[in-house]
Amino acid sequence: MKITDFLNDDFFNLPRVQGPKEDYKIFVNRVFKEFLEKLESIENFEDITFDINRIKERQNHLVQQLKSAISNYYAGKPASALSELEKGLNSNLKNFDEILNVREFHSATDFYRIRIHKLNFPLKPENFFHIPFDLRGKIKTQRFSIPGFPSLYLGNSSYVCWEELNRPNLNDFQIVRLESTELLKVIDLSPPKGSNKLPYEYYKYLMIWPLVFASSVRVRNYGDYFKPEYIIPQLLLQWVRKDNRIDGISYQTTHINFKDSLSKGEFLNIVLPVKENKTRGLCSELESKFLMTESTSVQLNQCSTSGLIDGGNALNYSNRNVQEIELIKGVPTNYDISIFGDLEEVLSKMESKKIIK
């Protein structure tokens, strides 16, 4: 069997969803067990030269350490949980430094961020950056960051930002475009996409799949203060922060069921933790990495152009990350003519400036 065929099995589709009454630890251990059983059934992969027995040994080690990390966290031992994760990522079998996919976003790459705001007065741009250090008390637990610790979350499309906020009313949010000013390096947890990917890319993804899965479980109870689905991703960010060469993590959204969706494209979130610890203001290092537009919204655009983007001129902007989205079941829509494509068209024509607070 080819490794590409192996990973195209529906089993590897993410995000995974727990049963309504299934305990999180039981659910995760069940998926890990099924993963190892599927791998054990393989005698060899035709399109890679790596020894299958070494692959199996490495994956058994990683799974065991992930399970141990979760158990330690449940036992109130977060430091031990991080230590167990580190043992899984670094071992005499194979260090993850060699197989984690480091993705580069070059300067002048566009990202997006939205904020809930129901008034038609534009929010100031600085309100769209990470929560300032002097407002740490407002920082809730997030998938890759703990309460009180500022991180900047971005999307590679306005649509993925909207999904991350559980589809707020179109009149209830404002949006900005951020433009990177320098190279950003992130650990990429998203699956290989595109017909030009080499088998080695699939091998690297297979080797980290248990980690990706454990970081991609959809939250069952958003109202809960403790979300076990965030244990592994939060520990992973702590591990990543120890490497000054890496800016953060990119990952596929958990808010789209890709197994059944007709949406086409790459729906990525990017999380960038602060690089310094201050008492007030924003992280200077992160600030220097971006320019930002003024904010806009669906309603503000409608008011200023009577609903016509750019006053009715021809559109010439296209988000290359997303081709189609499925908002109505069974009816995929060309992204560029959607509300989100319209917003990005407007933002592409707005000047991006230095972030000043």
Side-chain angles (χ1 to χ4, degrees), residues 167-180:
R167 298 190 172 192
N169 188 301
L170 292 177
N171 297 323
D172 290 350
F173 70 85
Q174 293 187 12
I175 183 170
V176 294
R177 175 177 60 84
L178 293 96
E179 179 183 336
S180 58

Side-chain angles (χ1 to χ4, degrees), residues 88-242:
L89 298 180
N90 303 302
S91 75
N92 58 359
L93 295 172
K94 193 173 189 67
N95 283 346
F96 258 58
D97 290 346
E98 303 172 30
I99 51 178
L100 279 173
N101 183 28
V102 177
R103 181 167 183 166
E104 296 183 345
F105 291 99
H106 294 280
S107 61
T109 299
D110 286 339
F111 302 96
Y112 303 90
R113 185 164 168 83
I114 68 177
R115 291 288 303 274
I116 298 298
H117 187 67
K118 299 183 180 182
L119 301 179
N120 282 322
F121 294 97
L123 282 170
K124 293 182 179 180
E126 61 265 26
N127 290 312
F128 288 84
F129 214 58
H130 73 73
I131 294 178
F133 290 102
D134 45 305
L135 297 177
R136 284 177 181 268
K138 296 183 180 294
I139 302 174
K140 301 178 182 179
T141 184
Q142 299 182 72
R143 183 166 292 273
F144 282 91
S145 51
I146 59 177
F149 180 77
S151 291
L152 178 62
Y153 282 81
L154 304 172
N156 71 339
S157 67
S158 58
Y159 169 66
V160 82
C161 295
W162 182 66
E163 287 283 9
E164 286 300 311
L165 289 185
N166 290 314
R167 298 190 172 192
N169 188 301
L170 292 177
N171 297 323
D172 290 350
F173 70 85
Q174 293 187 12
I175 183 170
V176 294
R177 175 177 60 84
L178 293 96
E179 179 183 336
S180 58
T181 60
E182 58 187 74
L183 182 72
L184 298 174
K185 290 186 176 182
V186 299
I187 299 298
D188 185 22
L189 302 182
S190 63
K193 285 185 177 293
S195 57
N196 60 340
K197 293 293 183 180
L198 298 173
Y200 181 64
E201 297 299 316
Y202 286 89
Y203 161 74
K204 291 200 298 182
Y205 184 65
L206 170 65
M207 296 301 286
I208 66 168
W209 190 87
L211 179 68
V212 176
F213 153 68
S215 300
S216 306
V217 179
R218 186 175 294 173
V219 172
R220 184 167 58 191
N221 298 312
Y222 276 98
D224 289 356
Y225 290 107
F226 170 61
K227 299 176 178 64
E229 299 89 350
Y230 290 176
I231 292 174
I232 295 300
Q234 289 180 355
L235 293 175
L236 178 61
L237 190 74
Q238 292 181 56
W239 183 76
V240 166
R241 287 185 63 227
K242 294 182 179 182

Side-chain angles (χ1 to χ4, degrees), residues 19 30 36 46 48 50 55 75-76 114 131 159 170 178 203 226 256 293 308 327 329 356:
R30 176 173 60 80
L36 293 176
E46 302 170 11
I48 59 173
F50 299 99
I55 291 175
I114 68 177
I131 294 178
Y159 169 66
L170 292 177
L178 293 96
Y203 161 74
F226 170 61
I256 300 174
T293 65
L308 298 175
L327 297 177
K329 188 64 178 175
I356 300 175

Side-chain angles (χ1 to χ4, degrees), residues 10 13 24 26 33 78 101 140 143 161 164 190 193 202 223 226 234 253 255 283 292 302 318-319 353:
D10 283 347
N13 285 329
Y24 170 78
I26 294 175
K33 181 175 182 291
N101 183 28
K140 301 178 182 179
R143 183 166 292 273
C161 295
E164 286 300 311
S190 63
K193 285 185 177 293
Y202 286 89
F226 170 61
Q234 289 180 355
T253 180
H255 289 256
C283 175
M292 188 188 296
Q302 290 174 338
S318 178
N319 188 320
K353 306 175 183 178

Side-chain angles (χ1 to χ4, degrees), residues 7 25 29 31 34 39 48 52-53 58 68 88 112 123 163 195 204 228 234 239 243 250-251 302 310 317:
L7 286 172
K25 283 177 64 177
N29 290 344
V31 175
E34 188 175 351
L39 188 59
I48 59 173
I52 188 65
N53 291 320
R58 183 67 182 85
S68 182
Y112 303 90
L123 282 170
E163 287 283 9
S195 57
K204 291 200 298 182
Q234 289 180 355
W239 183 76
D243 189 340
S250 62
Y251 59 101
Q302 290 174 338
D310 199 28
Y317 173 83

